[in-house]
């Protein structure tokens, strides 16, 4: 089936779906024009990505040539800073890059006071003066993990979440890591990297398997991904979260992200950049 589109109850949000891509779009302004622009841009997204999919699934290096498509190019740019540091493929930014590009299309079509494109939890934002966006953070079991409120005067325009309970396989044991950045693509790859860092190598409570044994199409190849993590004692949970927090702090220092919230078996840690004027409250501090 080709791209599917329908308005959600109330008529203020648009649902777009094609293959594995599933978007929820909200816009305040001329929604008719905005939603038409979203549908027009979305119509070619999957085809555009599939044309370069084999290359986008390859490990990125500092010598990797840029791709051709607009979305693929943003994926490359978002992941390139990590190429010399760790294993990464452009696919680490695919969900965020799609959200960014669809948002750009609707904002270019008509003036909007506020808009968002939510691609399975990776969110691209448009905020004008006086506007804000509040997002709930939820656990894989539906538990309330806290709230993020982003105002127009902060540079944050992207939110992404990763972890071993998400849509993708993870090298780490984080239940979830939510990252705030200037774009959704940048938040997407950073969330993956921080979630990978929340780990306890060789711990007996953690089971791993080659990614290829779980998903023939995984861009992680034979890298060992987490398949199970039993209940951990508090000291081990803190140690694992501290590893992730160090990675998040490093990315803040490098200017790649503006904040992060990390969760593991009921414990959490968070950090924000000094210039990130926002409210980030985990449930235990709410």
């Amino acid at each position: 089936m080709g791209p599917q589109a329908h308005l959600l109850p109330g008529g203020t949000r648009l649902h777009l779906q094609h293959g594995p891509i599933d978007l929820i779009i909200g816009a305040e302004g001329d929604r008719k024009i905005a939603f038409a622009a979203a549908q027009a841009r979305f119509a070619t997204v999957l085809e555009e990505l599939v044309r370069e999919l084999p290359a986008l699934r390859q490990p990125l290096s500092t010598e990797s040539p840029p791709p051709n498509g607009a979305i693929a190019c943003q994926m490359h740019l978002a992941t390139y800073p990590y190429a010399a540091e760790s294993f990464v493929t452009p696919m680490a930014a695919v969900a965020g890059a799609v959200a960014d590009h669809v948002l750009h299309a609707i904002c270019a079509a008509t003036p909007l006071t506020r808009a968002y494109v939510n691609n399975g939890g990776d969110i691209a934002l448009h905020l004008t003066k006086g506007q804000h966006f509040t997002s709930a953070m939820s656990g894989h079991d539906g538990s309330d993990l806290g709230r993020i409120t982003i105002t127009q005067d902060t540079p944050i325009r992207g939110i992404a979440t990763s972890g071993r309970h998400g849509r993708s396989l993870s090298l780490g044991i984080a239940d979830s890591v939510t990252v705030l950045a200037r774009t959704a693509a940048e938040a997407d790859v950073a969330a993956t990297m921080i979630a990978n860092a929340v780990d306890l190598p060789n711990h007996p409570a953690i089971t791993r398997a080659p990614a290829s044994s779980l998903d023939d199409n995984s861009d992680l190849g034979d890298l060992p991904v987490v398949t199970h993590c039993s209940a951990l004692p508090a000291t081990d949970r803190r140690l694992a979260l501290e590893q992730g927090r160090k990675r998040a702090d490093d990315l803040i220092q490098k200017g790649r992200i503006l904040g992060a919230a990390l969760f593991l078996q009921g414990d959490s840690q968070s950090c924000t950049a000094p210039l990130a004027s926002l409210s980030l409250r985990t449930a235990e501090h709410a």
Side-chain angles (χ1 to χ4, degrees), residues 124-209:
L125 297 172
H126 168 74
L127 299 171
T128 58
K129 187 174 181 179
Q131 298 296 315
H132 71 276
F133 181 86
T134 298
S135 176
M137 294 181 287
S138 299
H140 64 94
D141 58 357
S143 58
D144 182 6
L145 298 180
R147 298 287 184 276
I148 300 168
T149 299
I150 298 168
T151 56
Q152 179 274 333
D153 57 358
T154 179
I156 296 166
R157 292 298 180 268
I159 306 171
T161 299
S162 186
R164 72 181 188 91
H165 296 291
R167 296 179 296 175
S168 301
L169 301 173
S170 179
L171 305 182
I173 62 173
D175 291 332
S176 66
V177 171
T178 296
V179 168
L180 313 172
R182 289 174 175 82
T183 68
E186 291 171 332
D188 194 3
V189 61
T192 298
M193 294 301 168
I194 297 169
N196 287 345
V198 180
D199 200 11
L200 297 168
N202 303 315
H203 196 288
I206 303 169
T207 305
R208 305 174 197 267

Side-chain angles (χ1 to χ4, degrees), residues 66-267:
N68 297 311
I71 297 175
C73 281
Q74 187 178 7
M75 293 162 59
H76 179 92
L77 288 173
T79 52
Y80 185 82
Y82 300 86
E85 303 170 357
S86 55
F87 177 92
V88 69
T89 77
M91 293 300 291
V94 62
V98 168
D100 284 330
H101 275 263
V102 174
L103 180 74
H104 176 77
I106 67 176
C107 291
T110 185
L112 299 169
T113 57
R114 191 179 79 141
Y116 64 86
V117 176
N118 184 339
N119 186 1
D122 294 347
I123 305 170
L125 297 172
H126 168 74
L127 299 171
T128 58
K129 187 174 181 179
Q131 298 296 315
H132 71 276
F133 181 86
T134 298
S135 176
M137 294 181 287
S138 299
H140 64 94
D141 58 357
S143 58
D144 182 6
L145 298 180
R147 298 287 184 276
I148 300 168
T149 299
I150 298 168
T151 56
Q152 179 274 333
D153 57 358
T154 179
I156 296 166
R157 292 298 180 268
I159 306 171
T161 299
S162 186
R164 72 181 188 91
H165 296 291
R167 296 179 296 175
S168 301
L169 301 173
S170 179
L171 305 182
I173 62 173
D175 291 332
S176 66
V177 171
T178 296
V179 168
L180 313 172
R182 289 174 175 82
T183 68
E186 291 171 332
D188 194 3
V189 61
T192 298
M193 294 301 168
I194 297 169
N196 287 345
V198 180
D199 200 11
L200 297 168
N202 303 315
H203 196 288
I206 303 169
T207 305
R208 305 174 197 267
S212 58
S213 70
L214 303 171
D215 181 357
D216 291 338
N217 296 317
S218 174
D219 60 318
L220 299 178
D222 293 330
L223 287 176
V225 297
V226 174
T227 58
H228 178 73
C229 180
S230 299
L232 298 167
T235 52
D236 288 350
R237 295 197 302 269
R238 286 195 294 268
L239 177 60
L241 284 171
E242 284 168 4
Q243 302 310 308
R245 169 67 184 268
K246 288 178 182 177
R247 187 72 165 117
D249 285 337
D250 177 62
L251 296 183
I252 287 174
Q253 289 296 317
K254 290 176 177 176
R256 297 183 196 171
I257 69 170
L258 297 163
L262 298 69
F263 303 92
L264 174 61
Q265 296 185 359
D267 285 352

